[in-house]
Amino acid sequence: MTSLPLVFDAPKRGLPPRHLADLSTGDRRDAVTALGERAFRADQLSRHYFTRLTVDPGEMTDIPAASRERLLNDLIPPLFTVVRKLSCDDGTTQKALLRAHDGTLVESVLMRYPDRATLCISSQAGCGMACPFCATGQGGLNRNLSTAEIVEQVRMGAAAMRAGELPGGPGRLSNIVFMGMGEPLANYRRVVDAVRRITEPSPAGLGISARGVTVSTVGLVPAIDKLAGEGLAVTLAVSLHTPDDELRDTLVPVNNRWKVTEVLAAARRYADTTGRRVSIEYALIRDVNDQPWRAEMLGKLLAKHLTTRLVHVNLIPLNPTPGSKWDASPPHVQDEFVARVRATGVACTVRDTRGQEIAAACGQLAADG
Ligand code: SAH
């Protein structure tokens, strides 16, 4: 067993000052009264932030100027400045590079489809999981993001949709995936609090349906079990990438701690507790994990541990990352892989990868300025 940085809640190094979005509704009122302001000011602030999606003091005319300054300084400190926004796919994919108060860089990616809009958010700056095919994993972990830093990415994405920043006119942000930088379950408490803030009805939270939220993990078994007990109806995605321990030990180093069958057993418990189908992520890498026999082994293993009813395989054609020797499988190999998985009765689809040319696709987020 190798030693891996598997702390669930790492030290507070670099975290920003407390923010409205870190707090429950009750704690917001307490924070406001501690400043000598009336409790209902907390509700006004919440409406501006979570319902109107604004942090602009000029728009908060229902709060007297003197109070406004005091309240904003204390409860809505600036969390990010936008370094740049890059677009591709005819403007329907937009990557935002954000700089936190301490100079830390993170990225989020907004993708608009005909029927929905999905924001891919980061839960950590960098990542400690060290998967060799992922650009984020190559840089190591810089720090955890605070609850508010996670929520703020969503507020900004929702505001961009509402303002019609992407082609198609004003729209609504419907889906959130924790598939940006970081391992969400290694920043457990802050991520769970962020999910609550994202899904609570406005103005307590952003009012995005939990059904539209996906938390993706390398497979931290105790944290998956804990998540199942939170009473959140979010979708769990597990980055499996291969059904056998021998290869997975190298592709997803945390497999040295929790083996494939342990991860799938935890995924099954999650599905049983929440009633939600689990998504299995599989980056298809040419001549590494794309053999027909592996597809069959994958399908059979999933059917056994999760039942075909409770699982869905999401294939991700490998996206190129700097310095990596690996590339995506050719189309006929990919087609064969899909067919073999489906032959076992397990649902399998190929993810349409967005954002490759702006380094915004899965595994390409490195926030290298
Ligand atoms: N740490 C979490 C969240 C990141 S999600 C997790 O691993 O699940 C990002 C997804 O993209 C994961 O499934 C990850 O394995 C996958 N990925 C990473 N690098 C990739 C690459 N180069 N090409 C395609 N998918 C990749």
Side-chain angles (χ1 to χ4, degrees):
M1 197 183 99
T2 54
S3 88
L4 288 156
L6 288 178
V7 276
F8 282 171
D9 285 294
K12 293 193 173 172
R13 180 172 59 89
L15 286 177
R18 179 201 59 178
H19 185 282
L20 189 75
D22 288 311
L23 305 175
S24 65
T25 318
D27 289 345
R28 288 173 213 165
R29 294 202 183 115
D30 291 347
V32 163
T33 49
L35 285 176
E37 296 285 343
R38 306 269 300 279
F40 75 92
R41 299 275 178 227
D43 306 337
Q44 290 178 309
L45 287 178
S46 294
R47 270 196 297 280
H48 288 300
Y49 187 86
F50 291 99
T51 311
R52 302 180 59 210
L53 308 174
T54 184
V55 290
D56 177 0
E59 292 184 32
M60 305 187 186
T61 49
D62 54 344
I63 306 175
S67 299
R68 206 186 306 169
E69 198 186 326
R70 185 161 47 234
L71 288 165
L72 287 173
N73 280 342
D74 196 73
L75 279 159
I76 313 196
L79 293 174
F80 292 123
T81 51
V82 179
V83 179
R84 97 171 71 90
K85 287 183 174 181
L86 291 171
S87 297
C88 69
D89 305 321
D90 296 322
T92 58
T93 302
Q94 186 189 66
K95 177 169 90 167
L97 176 64
L98 309 170
R99 182 183 289 115
H101 76 114
D102 63 343
T104 294
L105 295 172
V106 294
E107 291 177 316
S108 65
V109 185
L110 183 57
M111 292 158 282
R112 186 167 197 173
Y113 301 87
D115 59 332
R116 66 186 193 282
T118 299
L119 182 71
C120 179
I121 57 172
S122 297
S123 56
Q124 299 181 310
C127 184
M129 298 297 123
C131 303
F133 54 91
C134 177
T136 311
Q138 298 321 293
L141 177 64
N142 175 356
R143 70 164 167 87
N144 281 319
L145 299 188
S146 71
T147 294
E149 284 175 322
I150 298 169
V151 176
E152 175 71 356
Q153 293 170 61
V154 181
R155 185 199 63 82
M156 293 171 93
M161 278 305 294
R162 188 178 288 177
E165 260 184 49
L166 271 57
R172 194 177 63 85
L173 181 61
S174 54
N175 294 74
I176 304 297
V177 295
F178 282 83
M179 296 190 184
M181 303 172 81
E183 166 51 41
L185 298 188
N187 186 16
Y188 185 85
R189 185 41 55 198
R190 296 181 193 96
V191 163
V192 165
D193 285 348
V195 170
R196 291 195 200 287
R197 247 9 57 80
I198 291 165
T199 56
E200 274 161 355
S202 105
L206 290 165
I208 293 173
S209 161
R211 299 191 146 266
V213 177
T214 299
V215 173
S216 183
T217 179
V218 288
L220 308 186
V221 166
I224 292 174
D225 283 326
K226 207 167 155 194
L227 186 67
E230 299 282 353
L232 298 166
V234 296
T235 299
L236 179 73
V238 174
S239 295
L240 200 64
H241 304 312
T242 187
D244 57 303
D245 284 318
E246 194 185 348
L247 179 57
R248 196 168 192 268
D249 281 349
T250 65
L251 291 182
V252 185
V254 76
N255 196 70
N256 290 282
R257 176 69 183 82
W258 291 290
K259 296 295 173 193
V260 169
T261 52
E262 294 175 83
V263 173
L264 294 181
R268 174 62 190 266
R269 292 190 292 273
Y270 188 88
D272 284 340
T273 309
T274 61
R276 304 304 313 269
R277 196 158 80 147
V278 172
S279 179
I280 299 291
E281 312 294 293
Y282 200 110
L284 212 54
I285 315 175
R286 179 154 66 107
D287 297 333
V288 173
N289 64 353
D290 62 354
Q291 302 80 0
W293 67 264
R294 264 209 173 84
E296 212 171 301
M297 183 182 177
L298 173 71
K300 287 182 175 160
L301 196 74
L302 295 177
K304 176 173 162 218
H305 287 275
L306 278 143
T307 76
T308 56
R309 188 176 54 87
L310 292 175
V311 69
H312 172 264
V313 174
N314 213 243
L315 288 184
I316 318 168
L318 188 83
N319 291 306
T321 58
S324 167
K325 51 188 186 297
W326 289 322
D327 54 23
S329 306
H332 72 275
V333 173
Q334 181 177 301
D335 292 346
E336 175 71 14
F337 197 94
V338 173
R340 295 272 181 139
V341 174
R342 287 185 181 158
T344 66
V346 170
C348 179
T349 50
V350 179
R351 180 178 298 170
D352 123 65
T353 46
R354 292 270 195 115
Q356 265 205 22
E357 61 267 45
I358 53 169
C362 307
Q364 294 187 314
L365 301 183
D368 42 14

